[in-house]
Amino acid sequence: MAAYTSPPYAQYAKLILKVSHNLGANLGICLLAVTADSDQCPAGFPVLAGFLDRAGVDREQAQLMDGRGGNPADRATPQVLVQMLTYWQHGPQARMFRQALPVLGVDGLLAENCRSCPARGKVFAKTGAAVGGDALNDRLAVGAITIAGYLDKGGGRFDTFYAGVNGASTPGANPTEVLSIANDLALIAAYLQESSSAR
C-alpha cells in the first residue's frame, strides 16, 4: 500500500496563477464539484456562484463555461474583475493571494517585463489572452489581452487595477507580435504603479 498526500491547494493555486496553468484552472471547477459531493465537474459552477454571491461580486457581469476563461462564451467585465480583486484584498489571505500572482519583473508570466523599471516587484497581476488566427488576412486576431491585479502604493497600501486590449489584430502572423501587446500592457501597469505611489 502507498499513499500520497498532496500539498495544500494554495501551492497549486500559486502555480496556476504564476504560469496560467490552464489544466489546473479547469480542474479547479472539478474540485469545487467535489465539495458538493459530485463527480461531475459542472456541479462546481453553483459552488462558485455561491462563493461570488457571498463575496459581494456581481456575477451577472461574468459568464463561464470552464475554469480557465478559454471557452468562446467566457466573458468578464473590468468591474467584476476589480470586485473580485477587492474581495481578496481585504481578507485574511490577502498577502498570500497577492504573492501568488505573477510579479512584474520578478516571476511568472511577468518575469521578463520591466526588469529594470522603478515598478519592478511592485505590480502583482494576472495576465490573460484570447488569440486566434485570421487566415483571410494572414495575421492574428486578438480577442483580448488583459492584465489585472494590485499596484503597491507603499506603506502596506495597494490599489486594484485592470487594463486590456480587445478586438485588435497583429500586423502579421508572427506570435511575437502578440507578446508585444502583452508587454505594452505590462508597461501600462508599471506606469500606473509609479503614478499611484507618487500620490
Side-chain angles (χ1 to χ4, degrees):
M1 295 294 289
Y4 172 75
T5 302
S6 64
Y9 184 75
Q11 291 182 24
Y12 192 34
K14 184 174 183 177
L15 169 67
I16 293 168
L17 292 168
K18 289 286 186 188
V19 300
S20 280
H21 186 265
N22 289 332
L23 176 60
N26 281 340
L27 287 175
I29 295 295
C30 301
L31 291 175
L32 290 176
V34 171
T35 69
D37 297 322
S38 175
D39 61 0
Q40 301 298 310
C41 292
F45 287 105
V47 178
L48 176 59
F51 166 76
L52 294 174
D53 290 344
R54 291 188 301 278
V57 173
D58 181 5
R59 62 182 167 90
E60 290 191 0
Q61 292 193 45
Q63 53 191 50
L64 287 175
M65 285 298 294
D66 62 18
R68 68 186 177 105
N71 187 289
D74 293 346
R75 300 282 188 275
T77 67
Q79 183 175 347
V80 78
L81 293 173
V82 169
Q83 286 175 351
M84 285 187 262
L85 289 166
T86 301
Y87 168 82
W88 285 109
Q89 184 177 21
H90 298 294
Q93 297 160 329
R95 185 173 184 269
M96 181 188 299
F97 178 72
R98 189 170 55 249
Q99 291 180 340
L101 297 170
V103 182
L104 186 68
V106 176
D107 65 17
L109 291 177
L110 294 176
E112 300 303 317
N113 301 97
C114 209
R115 293 184 64 95
S116 60
C117 72
R120 182 180 189 269
K122 298 175 184 174
V123 175
F124 306 79
K126 178 71 183 75
T127 59
V131 179
D134 176 3
L136 179 65
N137 299 294
D138 190 30
R139 61 186 181 184
L140 298 173
V142 179
I145 296 181
T146 61
I147 184 170
Y150 303 102
L151 308 169
D152 187 345
K153 295 178 66 172
R157 298 170 301 143
F158 296 87
D159 280 344
T160 57
F161 81 99
Y162 168 93
V165 171
N166 60 21
S169 58
T170 60
N174 189 332
T176 60
E177 294 169 350
V178 173
L179 296 178
S180 176
I181 297 171
N183 187 58
D184 286 346
L185 284 175
L187 290 174
I188 289 170
Y191 296 142
L192 290 171
Q193 187 282 325
E194 291 166 26
S195 65
S196 73
S197 62
R199 288 186 265 145

